[in-house]
Amino acid sequence: MTQWFGQEAQISAFCAALGSGRLHHAWLLAGPRGIGKAAFAKAAALRLLAEAAGPHPGGAGLAVPPDHRIARLFEAGSHPDFKLVERLPKDPKVLETPRAERSGSEELARSIRIDQIRELDRLLAMAPGLSPRRAIVIDAVDDLERGGANALLKSLEEPPAGTVFFLVSHAPGRLLPTIRSRCRLLRFQALAAADMMAALRQALPDAGDDEIAALARAGDGAPGQALRFAGLDIGSLDAALAELARTGDPSNALRGRLARDLSGKAAHPRYEAFLERAPAFLVARARTLSGRALAGALAEWEKARDLAASALPLSLDAQATVFQLAGHVAALARHGAAAKG
């Protein structure tokens, strides 16, 4: 059974509302990416539907026994009163494969299409099948394409009885004020260090202490972000970045080794990780600086950010890209920023 870390207050707030009989029809789950908002939404939806359909799952919090009849339907993706709205794979053929059987590496559309939101109208026009309740999760509401937000607003303004919306948002300030005003806001924060470590140990029971510690640093309070780096020896990449910043790599030996090691098809996952970690290292270091050192670090970060963002879309040469990114990190020594942080 999954144990929740760092979200006790959010669980308590939702369960109190559920038990009161005055459950709000729309919940806006807001906070940084990767801290478990979508997992919370699905767990809350399952608990809601299990309590409504019976038998009562018992216990406290969001837990529902895996052998509960509603949990089995939920796991199979066949619950008639639950709908998950998310970005779809770009390749239509992938949709022919049940979601549980997909690899998870499929390229996704850039947004949630308006017709996906309009499809909800047909669902909402029918009464729920197994209980008086229905649950809809939108992950993430930030991904709605133009027009989709207005289409969703209509359902939020006139919600069918018994329907509860869970809207996952990484940037709630960008949503329509009319959407925010119709939701109960539930804020999520980055996990504290102890909760972060515990969440990663639960997700990766076979990982060693060094890997867990490296992932915790890379995740910055967001387990979902950290888990993307699992198995990539992220600790050695971060150590190389720190060495570049400390020494400036005057002989270019470390830059050259990184460039060789991270090029080639087999190294592509670590190359993608380096594209994220190098700019992240620079901005983290900049937060510790002031004056000319800060200005220099920010200048290098801007260059690294732009290069990393264009590397994959433009199919830039991996070896040359790594060498250049490593150079921006090594420049910290020249700007007098290496000794900070």
Side-chain angles (χ1 to χ4, degrees):
M1 181 180 296
T2 299
Q3 182 178 351
W4 296 87
F5 300 97
Q7 298 175 358
E8 293 81 4
Q10 292 83 355
I11 292 172
S12 178
F14 177 79
C15 290
L18 180 59
S20 72
R22 298 186 300 274
L23 186 67
H24 200 284
H25 75 281
W27 293 72
L28 181 59
L29 313 181
R33 189 183 299 271
I35 57 175
K37 301 185 301 297
F40 179 96
K42 294 169 190 174
L46 173 56
R47 180 76 186 201
L48 169 73
L49 295 173
E51 287 195 15
H56 194 285
L62 301 180
V64 176
D67 60 350
H68 192 287
R69 66 188 187 100
I70 299 302
R72 290 198 297 267
L73 288 172
F74 212 83
E75 180 66 22
S78 57
H79 196 297
D81 302 326
F82 173 74
K83 179 69 174 178
L84 172 63
V85 182
E86 60 186 349
R87 289 184 297 152
L88 297 175
K90 278 189 174 181
D91 185 355
K93 294 182 180 179
V94 176
L95 296 175
E96 299 173 5
T97 303
R99 191 175 186 280
E101 299 176 14
R102 299 174 195 168
S103 68
S105 61
E106 299 86 3
E107 187 176 4
L108 301 178
R110 294 182 60 183
S111 60
I112 295 173
R113 301 194 309 267
I114 189 172
D115 61 288
Q116 292 176 257
I117 300 301
R118 288 174 174 162
E119 286 176 4
L120 294 177
D121 292 341
R122 291 192 289 272
L123 176 67
L124 297 176
M126 300 182 291
L130 299 183
S131 77
R133 290 291 195 182
R134 174 185 286 120
I136 296 173
V137 172
I138 300 183
D139 179 24
V141 69
D142 314 305
D143 296 332
L144 292 178
E145 67 181 11
R146 187 180 301 275
N150 288 325
L152 174 63
L153 182 58
K154 181 180 179 181
S155 296
L156 295 178
E157 288 175 334
E158 303 173 5
T163 296
V164 179
F165 290 85
F166 298 92
L167 310 183
V168 175
S169 177
H170 316 306
R174 299 178 185 175
L175 299 178
L176 291 176
T178 44
I179 286 182
R180 295 200 305 269
S181 67
R182 283 160 175 78
C183 298
R184 175 170 173 180
L185 178 63
L186 201 56
R187 290 194 178 278
F188 291 71
Q189 306 295 331
L191 271 61
D195 287 328
M196 182 72 173
M197 296 284 283
L200 291 174
R201 289 189 183 284
Q202 176 176 265
L204 301 170
D206 298 326
D209 291 345
D210 289 345
E211 182 178 8
I212 292 293
L215 290 173
R217 291 191 297 270
D220 196 23
Q225 296 289 79
L227 289 171
R228 296 183 301 109
F229 299 129
L232 299 182
D233 191 16
I234 200 70
S236 69
L237 291 183
D238 286 351
L241 290 169
E243 182 70 7
L244 286 166
R246 186 182 68 82
T247 67
D249 191 29
S251 68
N252 288 334
L254 182 51
R255 294 173 69 187
R257 177 170 61 80
L258 278 172
R260 291 190 300 273
D261 290 349
L262 298 180
S263 61
K265 187 175 181 179
H268 192 75
R270 297 191 78 226
Y271 168 58
E272 290 190 344
F274 188 78
L275 293 179
E276 290 191 41
R277 296 304 296 154
F281 179 91
L282 285 163
V283 76
R285 184 60 57 89
R287 294 192 184 107
T288 71
L289 305 173
S290 60
R292 295 175 63 182
L294 171 60
L298 289 176
E300 299 300 336
W301 165 68
E302 289 179 353
K303 297 172 191 174
R305 176 199 61 190
D306 294 344
L307 175 60
S310 62
L312 296 179
L314 298 181
S315 300
L316 300 180
D317 178 75
Q319 190 164 336
T321 300
V322 171
F323 193 85
Q324 189 173 346
L325 279 175
H328 291 308
V329 175
L332 289 176
R334 184 177 70 250
H335 293 301
K340 303 290 184 179

